[in-house]
C-alpha cells in the first residue's frame, strides 16, 4: 500500500528562519497533501498539490512535488512561534478511494 | 460553517462501559471518517462513510461500532474497550468521495481504565 513517509526528523529553529521538511511515497498518487497538528488537537489542512503540479504556494508555505522521485517538500518561510507543531504529509492514491496514507510526521519547534 | 465538532472532548471509561463519541459537520460533505491517533504517531484510519454508507472498515475490532444516522452526523459506539484503545479519536469530513482535503475535528481524548 502507498505510504507518505517523511524523513523522521525533529526541527528546532529560531523565529524568522525557514523550515524545510521532506516526504517520500511509494506508489502513484492523485495528490499529496500537507497537514499541521498542534499538540493534542485536530489536524488542519495546509495545502494540496496534484500529481501534475510541480510547485504550489500558499502564504508562507511552498510545496514542491517530484513524481519521478516520489517525493515532496514543504518549506515554511519566516517561521513564527505559532508554527510550532507536527506536520504530516498524506497521499491520495491515483486509483484509490477516500483513503489518505499519512506519513510519520515532523515535529517543528520554533524558538522565539 | 466550516467546522467539524466532536463531543465529548475527554472521556474516561472502564473496560465494561458502553459509551459513544459524536461528530457533526454542516458543510454538506458526503464522506466522513474516524481515525485513531496515538501519541507522536500519525492518524490511523478506522472507518469511512461515503454517502451515509460504510465504505471502508480497516479491520477494526468489533468493540468499535460506527454509525452514520444522517449526512451530518457520525457516531462511534464503544463497548468493552481495552487500555490499549486509549488514544485521540479524530473525526474528519470531505467533499465528495475522492482524494479531497479532509476537515478534522478537535478530537476526543479517550482513556480506558
Amino acid at each position: 500500500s502507498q505510504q507518505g513517509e517523511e524523513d523522521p526528523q525533529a526541527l528546532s529553529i529560531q523565529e524568522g528562519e525557514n523550515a524545510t521538511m521532506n516526504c517520500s511515497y511509494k506508489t502513484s498518487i492523485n495528490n499529496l497533501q500537507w497537514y499541521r497538528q498542534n499538540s493534542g488537537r485536530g489536524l488542519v489542512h495546509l495545502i494540496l498539490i496534484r500529481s501534475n503540479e510541480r510547485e504550489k504556494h500558499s502564504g508562507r508555505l511552498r510545496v514542491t512535488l517530484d513524481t519521478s522521485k516520489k517525493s515532496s517538500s514543504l518549506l515554511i518561510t519566516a517561521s513564527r512561534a505559532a508554527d510550532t507543531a507536527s506536520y504530516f504529509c498524506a497521499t491520495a492514491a491515483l486509483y484509490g478511494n477516500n483513503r489518505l496514507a499519512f506519513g510519520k510526521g515532523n515535529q517543528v519547534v520554533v524558538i522565539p | 460553517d466550516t467546522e467539524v465538532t466532536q463531543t465529548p472532548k475527554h472521556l474516561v471509561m472502564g473496560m465494561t462501559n458502553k459509551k459513544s463519541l459524536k461528530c457533526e459537520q454542516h458543510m454538506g460533505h458526503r464522506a466522513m471518517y474516524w481515525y485513531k491517533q496515538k501519541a507522536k504517531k500519525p492518524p490511523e484510519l478506522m472507518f469511512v462513510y461515503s454517502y451515509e454508507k460504510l465504505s471502508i472498515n480497516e479491520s477494526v475490532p468489533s468493540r468499535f461500532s460506527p454509525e452514520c444516522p444522517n449526512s451530518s452526523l457520525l457516531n462511534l459506539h464503544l463497548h468493552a474497550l481495552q487500555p490499549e484503545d486509549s488514544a485521540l479519536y479524530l473525526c474528519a469530513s470531505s467533499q465528495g468521495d475522492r482524494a479531497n482535503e479532509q476537515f478534522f475535528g478537535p478530537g476526543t481524548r479517550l482513556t480506558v481504565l
Side-chain angles (χ1 to χ4, degrees):
Chain A
S1 62
Q2 67 178 6
Q3 178 74 41
E5 188 168 330
E6 299 90 287
D7 291 349
Q9 52 181 307
L11 301 176
S12 184
I13 57 175
Q14 295 290 326
E15 201 165 31
E17 294 181 339
N18 297 341
T20 300
M21 58 208 87
N22 301 304
C23 170
S24 61
Y25 56 92
K26 296 178 181 176
T27 59
S28 297
I29 62 171
N30 177 298
N31 65 64
L32 185 145
Q33 303 174 32
W34 285 91
Y35 289 82
R36 183 188 74 227
Q37 185 177 33
N38 292 92
S39 180
R41 301 183 61 82
L43 280 73
V44 174
H45 182 267
L46 295 177
I47 197 164
L48 181 154
I49 186 165
R50 303 193 184 282
S51 59
N52 61 353
E53 297 176 310
R54 292 296 166 259
E55 187 171 314
K56 203 162 184 180
H57 297 256
S58 177
R60 294 183 295 110
L61 305 180
R62 173 178 170 257
V63 169
T64 62
L65 179 65
D66 187 335
T67 52
S68 66
K69 295 181 179 178
K70 292 186 167 53
S71 67
S72 173
S73 67
L74 171 67
L75 168 68
I76 305 173
T77 60
S79 62
R80 303 167 182 170
D83 295 327
T84 295
S86 293
Y87 292 83
F88 295 94
C89 74
T91 52
L94 182 59
Y95 300 111
N97 42 32
N98 321 58
R99 182 185 282 110
L100 288 180
F102 281 88
K104 295 178 182 177
N106 273 324
Q107 174 66 43
V108 175
V109 176
V110 181
I111 302 167
Chain B
D1 186 355
T2 59
E3 192 179 37
V4 176
T5 59
Q6 289 188 244
T7 55
K9 291 184 179 180
H10 301 275
L11 178 62
V12 179
M13 60 186 290
M15 290 189 285
T16 59
N17 292 159
K18 286 186 180 181
K19 297 287 185 182
S20 296
L21 309 184
K22 297 185 184 300
C23 174
E24 190 167 4
Q25 58 88 14
H26 294 288
M27 294 178 279
H29 290 171
R30 302 312 300 269
M32 296 186 75
Y33 311 77
W34 280 116
Y35 289 89
K36 172 184 177 180
Q37 187 179 29
K38 291 281 204 176
K40 299 188 185 302
K41 298 290 186 182
E44 298 174 29
L45 184 63
M46 300 175 71
F47 303 103
V48 181
Y49 274 83
S50 181
Y51 294 87
E52 301 164 48
K53 292 186 178 179
L54 183 64
S55 61
I56 297 175
N57 177 341
E58 293 283 47
S59 302
V60 178
S62 60
R63 57 186 184 269
F64 295 91
S65 175
E67 179 195 18
C68 188
N70 59 56
S71 60
S72 300
L73 294 174
L74 187 65
N75 297 323
L76 186 63
H77 302 296
L78 314 173
H79 174 55
L81 295 193
Q82 303 297 310
E84 59 264 31
D85 296 322
S86 298
L88 181 68
Y89 287 84
L90 295 164
C91 173
S93 69
S94 68
Q95 193 171 37
D97 60 358
R98 286 202 182 273
N100 293 307
E101 64 179 291
Q102 294 184 13
F103 291 77
F104 283 80
T108 294
R109 175 69 62 186
L110 174 67
T111 302
V112 182
L113 300 177

